[in-house]
DNA sequence: TTCTTATTAAACAAGG
DNA sequence: CCCTTGTTTAATAAGA
């Protein structure tokens, strides 16, 4: 416990430090002060004071520019959800670094969307920071007044020898002030960009009038939207419908609501600072919000669809209220938006790469298909690709979290997209926790949605080892993996498991041996592990909730169907699609995309450790099945788990295996 | 509080 | 002898 909290505090600091920029220094100092001194940070070093003063100058200057009342959001905090007026002053939001690496982003996310306790700590720190800023602002104002007074006195006080020097000094200060104004303008532009990015996913494609720096990054909002929907499948059909005429972004939403001083403040400030077309565009967009229907991208089925929120909002106004209160412009929301942005960017980037790769693969396989024995392989590939493609295209609903899938009854907790949620993120560190696995959360659902996240962020996945092992095995083409391949899957899929290999590998072995659901199958080349789906389901306490009919379906299928079909259905239920292709996992784009991202991120390490496929070349599951080790079962356990392990592998012919031409590359697992 | 399950550590053995 | 793989035991944490 202590260890964990210590490391988290440490990473807290590191996050702050990672955010480059002078403003960040201020934040860091302030946070450190507030951390050490509690709520009343008092003594500030001279250098830090200088920074603070500079910051205050920016604030004061902006206030002068925008002609606004003093910040009303200073009182803001969010001790609980009942007072959701988390209104961070714009300056605070501006402190968040604009350019940010994925790692930093993940760290920020981990820190800022962490447990409620940590969030609260952060909020308290923010509060302290704002308090301090207010004090310093007043201090700075006084200084300015004194300066003005001095200036006046000097102007009226005749010609003294020192006057010129003093005037020079004043001029210097004014110059500095002007520079600060310039700086502030830049910051504001950055902030505007931030806002635009936040609203990027919902910017109307037909209005390319925004000064989109995002376009400079090679992104087209419409494409991103489409890509995101295709790849993650985290939206339902009505989203697609509203996709084309949704004009709402965060800014317009804020404006459309009654009281959002921050946004209007921002807009006004923009108008007064540069008065560029971007502002007008923003305003125009905001004025066009009447045409929005209730097809808000963040609202569907009475639920707020902000990633990880899922708050139930009875009607659209209440949703708007919720959106403005819970997802106001604060660091958390911006961090989430940035992560989303980064995800989309990476996805798009990798999609193009993988399209090429796919092209090369298909042409390669097409050549090979002329050989007599190779025919099943391209057929399989094509059919599976077609299957997943049609599945994703024809029915976007057939996604892990949608209630129409067999997975739905298994998702009592995370209904809806659980991407990077607090629930999926707070399992950081070596604490022993009861994982959501206990509640029958289908790993494929959450994991598929957060796959990229887990791949890049050193966040402990909220699943048990058993679930993870099973997922890895079921993902493999032949539903069987060697121990080493399981290791590789872990390191490939989870950044968390790239550390402490000895620990988790031991745990993996331990789980493989311990759980009856893992069946060791020997063949000539060695041993592979398969999943006994029936045992896996039996292993878990049946706490299924959700749609009653679907529950009934599952139960009846377990009760009355043949073991084979029951296991198949169970597998499908976990994987959300027939056979071994889940909706999103089976998406070839995402799958290979994920691999590509992994390769990019992990570079050499992955090349040595998990190159190629986890599938076991040359091993025929059919050959080895008769040598299945039947585990002794000390517990009551009546039945028919014999042929089940066959089931998961039966849909591949031995020819398929034989034709694969990977090499059994030596694997190097020393990840640290 | 008790029971169950998950995690972690560690010892040990077999085999390459 | 070392490493990998696999089994087993024990301690501990966490949830029901």
């Amino acid at each position: 416990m202590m260890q964990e909290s210590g490391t988290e505090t440490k990473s807290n600091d590191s996050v702050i430090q990672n955010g480059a920029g002078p403003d960040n220094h201020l934040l860091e100092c302030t946070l450190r002060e507030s951390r050490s001194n509690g709520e009343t940070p008092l003594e500030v070093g001279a250098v830090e004071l200088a920074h603070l003063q500079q910051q205050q100058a920016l604030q004061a200057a902006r206030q002068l520019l925008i002609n606004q009342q003093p910040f009303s959001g200073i009182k803001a905090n969010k001790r609980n959800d009942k007072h959701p007026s988390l209104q961070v002053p714009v300056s605070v939001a501006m402190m968040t670094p604009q350019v940010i690496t994925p790692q930093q982003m993940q760290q920020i996310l981990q820190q800022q969307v962490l447990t409620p306790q940590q969030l609260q700590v952060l909020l308290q720190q923010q509060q302290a920071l704002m308090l301090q800023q207010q004090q310093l602002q007043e201090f700075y104002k006084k200084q300015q007044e004194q300066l003005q007074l001095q200036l006046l006195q000097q102007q009226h006080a005749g010609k003294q020898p020192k006057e010129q020097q003093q005037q020079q000094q004043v001029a210097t200060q004014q110059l500095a002030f002007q520079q600060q104004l310039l700086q502030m303008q830049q910051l504001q532009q950055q902030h505007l960009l931030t806002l635009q990015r936040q609203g990027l996913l919902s910017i109307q494609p037909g209005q390319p009038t925004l000064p989109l720096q995002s376009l400079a990054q090679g992104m087209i909002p419409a494409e991103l939207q489409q890509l995101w929907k295709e790849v993650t499948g985290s939206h339902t059909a009505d989203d697609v419908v509203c996709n084309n005429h949704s004009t709402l972004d965060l800014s317009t939403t804020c404006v459309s609501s009654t009281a959002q001083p921050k946004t209007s403040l921002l807009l006004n400030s923009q108008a007064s600072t540069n008065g560029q077309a971007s502002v007008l565009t923003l305003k125009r967009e905001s004025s066009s919000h009447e045409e929005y229907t209730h097809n808000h991208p963040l609202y569907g089925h009475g639920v707020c669809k902000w990633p990880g929120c899922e708050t139930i909002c009875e009607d659209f106004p209440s949703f708007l209220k919720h959106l403005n209160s819970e997802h106001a412009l604060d660091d958390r929301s911006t961090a989430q938006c940035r992560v989303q942005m980064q995800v989309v960017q990476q996805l798009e980037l990798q999609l193009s790469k993988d399209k090429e790769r796919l092209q090369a693969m298909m042409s390669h396989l097409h050549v090979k298909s002329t050989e007599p024995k190779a025919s099943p392989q391209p057929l399989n590939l094509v059919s599976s690709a077609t299957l997943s493609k049609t599945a994703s295209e024809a029915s976007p609903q057939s996604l892990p979290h949608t209630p129409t899938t067999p997975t739905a009854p298994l998702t009592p907790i995370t209904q809806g997209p659980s991407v990077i949620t607090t629930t999926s993120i707070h399992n950081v560190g070596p604490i022993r926790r009861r994982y959501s696995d206990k509640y029958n959360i289908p790993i494929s659902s959450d994991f598929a949605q957060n796959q990229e996240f887990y791949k890049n962020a050193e966040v402990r996945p909220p699943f048990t080892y058993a679930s993870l092992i099973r997922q890895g095995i079921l993902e493999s083409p032949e539903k069987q993996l060697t121990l080493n391949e399981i290791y590789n899957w872990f390191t490939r899929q989870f950044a968390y498991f790239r550390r402490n290999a000895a620990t988790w590998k031991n745990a993996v072995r331990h789980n493989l041996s311990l759980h009856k659901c893992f069946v060791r199958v020997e063949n000539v080349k060695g041993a592979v592990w398969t999943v006994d789906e029936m045992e896996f389901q039996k292993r878990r306490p049946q706490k299924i909730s959700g749609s009653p009919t679907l529950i009934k379906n599952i139960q009846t299928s377990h009760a009355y169907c043949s073991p084979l079909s029951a296991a198949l259905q169970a597998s499908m239920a976990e994987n959300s699609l027939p056979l071994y292709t889940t909706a999103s996992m089976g998406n070839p784009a995402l799958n290979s995309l994920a691999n590509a991202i992994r390769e990019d991120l992990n570079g050499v390490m992955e090349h040595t450790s998990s190159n190629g496929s986890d599938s076991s070349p040359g091993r025929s599951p059919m050959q080895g099945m008769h040598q299945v080790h039947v585990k002794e079962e000390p517990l009551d356990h009546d039945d028919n788990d014999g042929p089940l392990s066959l089931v998961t592998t039966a849909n591949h012919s031995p020819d398929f295996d034989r034709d694969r031409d990977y090499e059994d590359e030596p694997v190097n697992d020393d990840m640290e």
Side-chain angles (χ1 to χ4, degrees), chain A residues 240-281:
Chain A
V240 181
V241 169
C242 75
N243 184 15
N244 289 330
H245 52 83
S246 148
T247 61
L248 283 176
D249 59 13
L250 289 184
S251 309
T252 58
T253 308
C254 291
V255 172
S256 67
S257 70
T258 51
Q260 274 296 328
K262 289 193 307 298
T263 309
S264 57
L265 179 144
L266 172 84
L267 291 174
N268 287 339
S269 68
Q270 279 296 326
S272 55
T273 46
N274 49 19
Q276 289 172 355
S278 62
V279 182
L280 300 178
T281 309

Short mmCIF file of all heavy atoms in Angstrom, two decimals, chain A residues 240-281:
data_model
loop_
_atom_site.label_atom_id
_atom_site.label_comp_id
_atom_site.label_asym_id
_atom_site.label_seq_id
_atom_site.Cartn_x
_atom_site.Cartn_y
_atom_site.Cartn_z
N VAL A 240 -24.07 6.60 -36.24
CA VAL A 240 -23.74 6.72 -37.64
C VAL A 240 -24.75 7.62 -38.33
O VAL A 240 -24.42 8.42 -39.18
CB VAL A 240 -23.72 5.32 -38.29
CG1 VAL A 240 -23.36 5.44 -39.74
CG2 VAL A 240 -22.72 4.43 -37.56
N VAL A 241 -25.95 7.48 -37.90
CA VAL A 241 -26.98 8.32 -38.50
C VAL A 241 -26.71 9.78 -38.21
O VAL A 241 -26.72 10.62 -39.10
CB VAL A 241 -28.37 7.92 -37.95
CG1 VAL A 241 -29.39 8.95 -38.37
CG2 VAL A 241 -28.74 6.55 -38.47
N CYS A 242 -26.40 10.05 -36.97
CA CYS A 242 -26.22 11.44 -36.62
C CYS A 242 -24.85 11.93 -37.04
O CYS A 242 -24.53 13.09 -36.87
CB CYS A 242 -26.38 11.64 -35.12
SG CYS A 242 -24.98 11.05 -34.18
N ASN A 243 -24.09 11.04 -37.53
CA ASN A 243 -22.72 11.38 -37.84
C ASN A 243 -22.63 12.53 -38.83
O ASN A 243 -21.79 13.40 -38.74
CB ASN A 243 -22.05 10.14 -38.41
CG ASN A 243 -20.60 10.36 -38.66
OD1 ASN A 243 -20.04 11.34 -38.17
ND2 ASN A 243 -20.00 9.48 -39.40
N ASN A 244 -23.52 12.53 -39.77
CA ASN A 244 -23.35 13.43 -40.88
C ASN A 244 -23.88 14.83 -40.62
O ASN A 244 -23.52 15.76 -41.32
CB ASN A 244 -24.06 12.85 -42.12
CG ASN A 244 -23.31 11.66 -42.63
OD1 ASN A 244 -22.10 11.58 -42.49
ND2 ASN A 244 -24.04 10.73 -43.21
N HIS A 245 -24.71 14.95 -39.70
CA HIS A 245 -25.23 16.29 -39.49
C HIS A 245 -25.04 16.78 -38.07
O HIS A 245 -25.72 17.66 -37.60
CB HIS A 245 -26.71 16.36 -39.84
CG HIS A 245 -27.52 15.30 -39.17
ND1 HIS A 245 -27.98 15.44 -37.90
CD2 HIS A 245 -27.90 14.07 -39.59
CE1 HIS A 245 -28.67 14.36 -37.57
NE2 HIS A 245 -28.63 13.52 -38.56
N SER A 246 -24.13 16.19 -37.43
CA SER A 246 -23.86 16.67 -36.09
C SER A 246 -22.94 17.86 -36.14
O SER A 246 -21.88 17.83 -36.75
CB SER A 246 -23.22 15.55 -35.28
OG SER A 246 -22.34 16.08 -34.36
N THR A 247 -23.34 18.90 -35.54
CA THR A 247 -22.52 20.09 -35.57
C THR A 247 -22.00 20.44 -34.20
O THR A 247 -21.40 21.47 -34.01
CB THR A 247 -23.33 21.28 -36.08
OG1 THR A 247 -24.41 21.49 -35.18
CG2 THR A 247 -23.87 21.01 -37.45
N LEU A 248 -22.27 19.62 -33.27
CA LEU A 248 -21.91 19.99 -31.92
C LEU A 248 -20.48 19.66 -31.62
O LEU A 248 -20.00 18.58 -31.90
CB LEU A 248 -22.81 19.25 -30.93
CG LEU A 248 -24.20 19.82 -30.81
CD1 LEU A 248 -25.01 18.96 -29.88
CD2 LEU A 248 -24.15 21.23 -30.31
N ASP A 249 -19.82 20.56 -31.07
CA ASP A 249 -18.58 20.23 -30.40
C ASP A 249 -18.68 20.77 -28.99
O ASP A 249 -19.70 21.29 -28.58
CB ASP A 249 -17.38 20.79 -31.15
CG ASP A 249 -17.46 22.29 -31.28
OD1 ASP A 249 -18.28 22.89 -30.59
OD2 ASP A 249 -16.70 22.82 -32.07
N LEU A 250 -17.61 20.63 -28.31
CA LEU A 250 -17.68 21.03 -26.91
C LEU A 250 -17.97 22.52 -26.78
O LEU A 250 -18.72 22.95 -25.92
CB LEU A 250 -16.36 20.70 -26.21
CG LEU A 250 -16.13 19.22 -26.00
CD1 LEU A 250 -14.86 19.00 -25.22
CD2 LEU A 250 -17.32 18.63 -25.27
N SER A 251 -17.39 23.26 -27.64
CA SER A 251 -17.57 24.70 -27.51
C SER A 251 -19.03 25.08 -27.72
O SER A 251 -19.62 25.80 -26.93
CB SER A 251 -16.70 25.41 -28.53
OG SER A 251 -15.40 24.94 -28.45
N THR A 252 -19.58 24.57 -28.78
CA THR A 252 -20.95 24.94 -29.05
C THR A 252 -21.87 24.43 -27.97
O THR A 252 -22.84 25.07 -27.61
CB THR A 252 -21.39 24.37 -30.40
OG1 THR A 252 -21.23 22.97 -30.36
CG2 THR A 252 -20.56 24.93 -31.51
N THR A 253 -21.53 23.29 -27.48
CA THR A 253 -22.35 22.77 -26.41
C THR A 253 -22.32 23.70 -25.22
O THR A 253 -23.33 24.02 -24.62
CB THR A 253 -21.85 21.39 -26.00
OG1 THR A 253 -21.76 20.59 -27.15
CG2 THR A 253 -22.80 20.78 -25.01
N CYS A 254 -21.14 24.13 -24.92
CA CYS A 254 -21.02 25.03 -23.79
C CYS A 254 -21.79 26.31 -24.05
O CYS A 254 -22.48 26.82 -23.18
CB CYS A 254 -19.55 25.36 -23.52
SG CYS A 254 -18.63 23.95 -22.90
N VAL A 255 -21.69 26.80 -25.24
CA VAL A 255 -22.36 28.04 -25.53
C VAL A 255 -23.87 27.85 -25.49
O VAL A 255 -24.60 28.68 -24.99
CB VAL A 255 -21.93 28.56 -26.91
CG1 VAL A 255 -22.76 29.75 -27.30
CG2 VAL A 255 -20.47 28.94 -26.85
N SER A 256 -24.27 26.73 -25.99
CA SER A 256 -25.70 26.53 -26.05
C SER A 256 -26.31 26.43 -24.67
O SER A 256 -27.45 26.78 -24.47
CB SER A 256 -25.99 25.24 -26.82
OG SER A 256 -25.52 24.14 -26.08
N SER A 257 -25.54 25.99 -23.77
CA SER A 257 -26.07 25.98 -22.41
C SER A 257 -26.07 27.40 -21.88
O SER A 257 -25.42 28.30 -22.40
CB SER A 257 -25.22 25.08 -21.53
OG SER A 257 -23.98 25.69 -21.31
N THR A 258 -26.80 27.56 -20.82
CA THR A 258 -27.07 28.91 -20.39
C THR A 258 -25.82 29.60 -19.85
O THR A 258 -25.44 30.66 -20.33
CB THR A 258 -28.14 28.87 -19.30
OG1 THR A 258 -27.74 27.91 -18.32
CG2 THR A 258 -29.47 28.47 -19.89
N ALA A 259 -25.25 29.01 -18.87
CA ALA A 259 -24.17 29.72 -18.20
C ALA A 259 -22.87 28.96 -18.32
O ALA A 259 -22.65 27.98 -17.64
CB ALA A 259 -24.52 29.91 -16.71
N GLN A 260 -22.07 29.40 -19.19
CA GLN A 260 -20.73 28.86 -19.25
C GLN A 260 -19.76 30.02 -19.44
O GLN A 260 -19.35 30.34 -20.55
CB GLN A 260 -20.60 27.86 -20.40
CG GLN A 260 -21.01 26.47 -20.00
CD GLN A 260 -20.10 25.92 -18.92
OE1 GLN A 260 -18.92 26.24 -18.86
NE2 GLN A 260 -20.63 25.08 -18.07
N PRO A 261 -19.41 30.64 -18.38
CA PRO A 261 -18.56 31.83 -18.50
C PRO A 261 -17.22 31.51 -19.15
O PRO A 261 -16.67 32.35 -19.81
CB PRO A 261 -18.37 32.26 -17.05
CG PRO A 261 -18.69 31.06 -16.24
CD PRO A 261 -19.72 30.29 -17.01
N LYS A 262 -16.77 30.34 -18.95
CA LYS A 262 -15.45 30.02 -19.50
C LYS A 262 -15.46 30.13 -21.00
O LYS A 262 -14.58 30.73 -21.60
CB LYS A 262 -15.05 28.61 -19.10
CG LYS A 262 -14.73 28.47 -17.65
CD LYS A 262 -14.06 27.16 -17.42
CE LYS A 262 -14.88 26.02 -17.99
NZ LYS A 262 -16.18 25.91 -17.37
N THR A 263 -16.50 29.54 -21.57
CA THR A 263 -16.50 29.51 -23.02
C THR A 263 -16.68 30.89 -23.61
O THR A 263 -15.97 31.29 -24.52
CB THR A 263 -17.63 28.59 -23.50
OG1 THR A 263 -17.51 27.37 -22.82
CG2 THR A 263 -17.53 28.37 -24.98
N SER A 264 -17.63 31.58 -23.07
CA SER A 264 -17.84 32.91 -23.61
C SER A 264 -16.60 33.75 -23.39
O SER A 264 -16.21 34.55 -24.23
CB SER A 264 -19.05 33.54 -22.93
OG SER A 264 -18.85 33.57 -21.54
N LEU A 265 -16.00 33.51 -22.27
CA LEU A 265 -14.77 34.23 -21.99
C LEU A 265 -13.72 33.91 -23.04
O LEU A 265 -13.06 34.79 -23.56
CB LEU A 265 -14.28 33.81 -20.60
CG LEU A 265 -12.98 34.41 -20.05
CD1 LEU A 265 -13.15 34.61 -18.56
CD2 LEU A 265 -11.81 33.50 -20.32
N LEU A 266 -13.66 32.67 -23.34
CA LEU A 266 -12.68 32.28 -24.33
C LEU A 266 -12.99 32.91 -25.67
O LEU A 266 -12.12 33.50 -26.31
CB LEU A 266 -12.66 30.76 -24.48
CG LEU A 266 -11.80 30.31 -25.63
CD1 LEU A 266 -10.35 30.23 -25.18
CD2 LEU A 266 -12.27 29.01 -26.18
N LEU A 267 -14.22 32.83 -26.03
CA LEU A 267 -14.59 33.36 -27.33
C LEU A 267 -14.33 34.86 -27.38
O LEU A 267 -13.77 35.40 -28.33
CB LEU A 267 -16.06 33.06 -27.61
CG LEU A 267 -16.36 31.59 -27.84
CD1 LEU A 267 -17.85 31.39 -27.97
CD2 LEU A 267 -15.64 31.09 -29.07
N ASN A 268 -14.73 35.53 -26.32
CA ASN A 268 -14.52 36.96 -26.31
C ASN A 268 -13.05 37.29 -26.38
O ASN A 268 -12.63 38.20 -27.08
CB ASN A 268 -15.13 37.55 -25.05
CG ASN A 268 -16.63 37.55 -25.14
OD1 ASN A 268 -17.16 37.48 -26.25
ND2 ASN A 268 -17.30 37.62 -24.02
N SER A 269 -12.31 36.54 -25.61
CA SER A 269 -10.90 36.83 -25.61
C SER A 269 -10.31 36.61 -26.98
O SER A 269 -9.48 37.38 -27.45
CB SER A 269 -10.19 35.94 -24.60
OG SER A 269 -10.22 34.60 -25.03
N GLN A 270 -10.76 35.58 -27.60
CA GLN A 270 -10.26 35.35 -28.94
C GLN A 270 -10.66 36.48 -29.87
O GLN A 270 -9.87 36.96 -30.66
CB GLN A 270 -10.80 34.03 -29.47
CG GLN A 270 -10.03 32.84 -28.98
CD GLN A 270 -8.61 32.88 -29.49
OE1 GLN A 270 -8.36 33.32 -30.59
NE2 GLN A 270 -7.67 32.42 -28.69
N ALA A 271 -11.87 36.88 -29.74
CA ALA A 271 -12.34 37.92 -30.63
C ALA A 271 -11.55 39.20 -30.41
O ALA A 271 -11.22 39.91 -31.35
CB ALA A 271 -13.82 38.18 -30.40
N SER A 272 -11.24 39.44 -29.17
CA SER A 272 -10.57 40.69 -28.91
C SER A 272 -9.08 40.61 -29.17
O SER A 272 -8.45 41.62 -29.39
CB SER A 272 -10.81 41.11 -27.47
OG SER A 272 -10.41 40.07 -26.62
N THR A 273 -8.57 39.43 -29.12
CA THR A 273 -7.13 39.34 -29.30
C THR A 273 -6.74 39.32 -30.76
O THR A 273 -5.96 40.13 -31.22
CB THR A 273 -6.57 38.10 -28.62
OG1 THR A 273 -7.41 37.01 -28.96
CG2 THR A 273 -6.53 38.28 -27.13
N ASN A 274 -7.28 38.39 -31.45
CA ASN A 274 -6.84 38.35 -32.83
C ASN A 274 -7.97 38.64 -33.81
O ASN A 274 -7.71 39.09 -34.92
CB ASN A 274 -6.22 36.99 -33.16
CG ASN A 274 -7.11 35.87 -32.71
OD1 ASN A 274 -8.29 36.09 -32.49
ND2 ASN A 274 -6.55 34.70 -32.56
N GLY A 275 -9.16 38.38 -33.40
CA GLY A 275 -10.27 38.69 -34.27
C GLY A 275 -10.21 37.99 -35.60
O GLY A 275 -10.63 38.50 -36.62
N GLN A 276 -9.66 36.84 -35.57
CA GLN A 276 -9.51 36.15 -36.84
C GLN A 276 -10.76 35.38 -37.19
O GLN A 276 -11.70 35.30 -36.44
CB GLN A 276 -8.32 35.19 -36.77
CG GLN A 276 -7.00 35.96 -36.75
CD GLN A 276 -5.85 35.04 -36.47
OE1 GLN A 276 -6.08 33.86 -36.21
NE2 GLN A 276 -4.66 35.57 -36.52
N ALA A 277 -10.68 34.85 -38.37
CA ALA A 277 -11.86 34.15 -38.87
C ALA A 277 -12.20 32.96 -38.01
O ALA A 277 -13.34 32.53 -37.97
CB ALA A 277 -11.64 33.71 -40.31
N SER A 278 -11.19 32.44 -37.36
CA SER A 278 -11.47 31.26 -36.56
C SER A 278 -12.51 31.56 -35.50
O SER A 278 -13.39 30.76 -35.24
CB SER A 278 -10.18 30.78 -35.91
OG SER A 278 -9.69 31.79 -35.05
N VAL A 279 -12.38 32.67 -34.92
CA VAL A 279 -13.33 33.03 -33.89
C VAL A 279 -14.71 33.16 -34.47
O VAL A 279 -15.70 32.68 -33.92
CB VAL A 279 -12.90 34.33 -33.22
CG1 VAL A 279 -13.86 34.67 -32.12
CG2 VAL A 279 -11.49 34.21 -32.72
N LEU A 280 -14.74 33.84 -35.57
CA LEU A 280 -16.05 33.99 -36.20
C LEU A 280 -16.63 32.65 -36.55
O LEU A 280 -17.82 32.39 -36.38
CB LEU A 280 -15.90 34.86 -37.46
CG LEU A 280 -15.36 36.27 -37.17
CD1 LEU A 280 -15.20 37.04 -38.46
CD2 LEU A 280 -16.25 36.99 -36.20
N THR A 281 -15.76 31.80 -37.00
CA THR A 281 -16.23 30.47 -37.33
C THR A 281 -16.78 29.77 -36.11
O THR A 281 -17.84 29.16 -36.12
CB THR A 281 -15.09 29.65 -37.91
OG1 THR A 281 -14.50 30.40 -38.95
CG2 THR A 281 -15.63 28.34 -38.44
#
